[in-house]
Amino acid sequence: MKKLDRRIKRTRRLLSEALVSLTLESSYDEISIRSLTQRADVGYATFYRHFKSKDELLSYCIRELVRELQNAIKPEHSNYEASLHVYKLVMRYKKTCRLALSLPDDHPAWVQIWAEIREWMIEIYSARDETNIPQEIALNHLVKSCKELVRWWLFHGQGYSPEQMATMQSELVLDVINNVALDSRNRVTNTPTP
């Protein structure tokens, strides 16, 4: 069974890498399943054993990045530390992130992933009792602001290091939204109890 698992992972990795490399040569819409399977050196039918469509393959690529991020960010991390994990992951998977962030939010590859990201954020944050800002609006603002900052960095701001971007994201977005609208449900503070 483990050998089968390795083959599945290998095939999915090859198809993911083929998708990303082909988008460097032509637009996402121009990429065919045939060109994907040729680049990945897998059979045409093999593609359909793993994915129903090119959009499903792209969703798989994005979902893997989100899962890696979810595994890296811990409740005890500060806003800066959480942001640094984001930017280091983006650096490591720059081409995949560029592809994903070049698509509109309502692209079929993104729709389910945005729902999963919202659920993850709901697990992390609750609305502040003293605010008039609903949790849904605050979380939408948080996610979209962070996404746009990452998009800007990938396409225009590569002169800034991941550490600089983490500082900017934590101070411009996370600290502000935390102070105005949200409380972290699980954040461990270093404040000693009396």
Side-chain angles (χ1 to χ4, degrees):
M1 188 69 143
K2 287 187 179 185
K3 189 170 186 170
L4 179 65
D5 289 347
R6 269 189 252 137
R7 281 192 309 218
I8 290 170
K9 287 180 183 179
R10 179 182 175 277
T11 301
R12 289 182 178 191
R13 180 181 49 78
L14 289 171
L15 288 166
S16 298
E17 290 170 357
L19 177 64
V20 172
S21 71
L22 285 168
T23 59
L24 299 175
E25 300 166 16
S26 59
S27 75
Y28 176 79
D29 292 333
E30 294 171 349
I31 297 169
S32 67
I33 302 301
R34 180 76 59 206
S35 62
L36 276 168
T37 57
Q38 287 173 348
R39 178 67 57 97
D41 195 24
V42 300
Y44 189 77
T46 301
F47 178 89
Y48 288 103
R49 279 196 293 272
H50 293 272
F51 303 103
K52 293 176 186 165
S53 67
K54 180 176 60 172
D55 290 342
E56 189 175 282
L57 170 60
L58 180 56
S59 289
Y60 170 80
C61 295
I62 298 168
R63 187 172 282 111
E64 289 300 302
L65 291 174
V66 171
R67 283 190 183 128
E68 190 168 331
L69 186 60
Q70 288 172 324
N71 291 332
I73 295 176
K74 305 292 182 220
E76 62 270 13
H77 287 157
S78 67
N79 287 335
Y80 171 79
E81 291 167 326
S83 296
L84 187 56
H85 282 295
V86 169
Y87 286 94
K88 285 184 174 182
L89 185 76
V90 169
M91 278 297 286
R92 192 171 38 217
Y93 299 105
K94 188 184 296 187
K95 293 174 187 173
T96 304
C97 291
R98 278 180 182 258
L99 168 58
L101 293 173
S102 68
L103 300 171
D105 290 350
D106 62 351
H107 189 279
W110 269 115
V111 173
Q112 181 60 35
I113 292 169
W114 284 127
E116 292 171 17
I117 290 171
R118 276 192 296 278
E119 289 302 313
W120 179 40
M121 292 292 104
I122 288 169
E123 289 175 18
I124 295 173
Y125 294 102
S126 60
R128 295 179 73 90
D129 290 336
E130 69 278 5
T131 186
N132 292 324
I133 302 169
Q135 179 187 24
E136 179 181 351
I137 292 172
L139 290 176
N140 182 68
H141 181 66
L142 182 145
V143 170
K144 301 294 178 149
S145 295
C146 290
K147 183 191 84 164
E148 287 306 315
L149 196 54
V150 168
R151 183 195 314 261
W152 177 85
W153 184 58
L154 275 174
F155 292 100
H156 307 289
Q158 285 291 298
Y160 295 99
S161 70
E163 292 79 11
Q164 289 172 307
M165 291 307 297
T167 298
M168 288 184 253
Q169 179 172 294
S170 66
E171 292 179 9
L172 276 174
V173 180
L174 300 175
D175 291 349
V176 173
I177 292 173
N178 286 170
N179 288 332
V180 173
L182 298 171
D183 280 325
S184 174
R185 292 181 191 270
N186 300 316
R187 176 123 329 131
V188 176
T189 62
N190 295 327
T191 308
T193 53

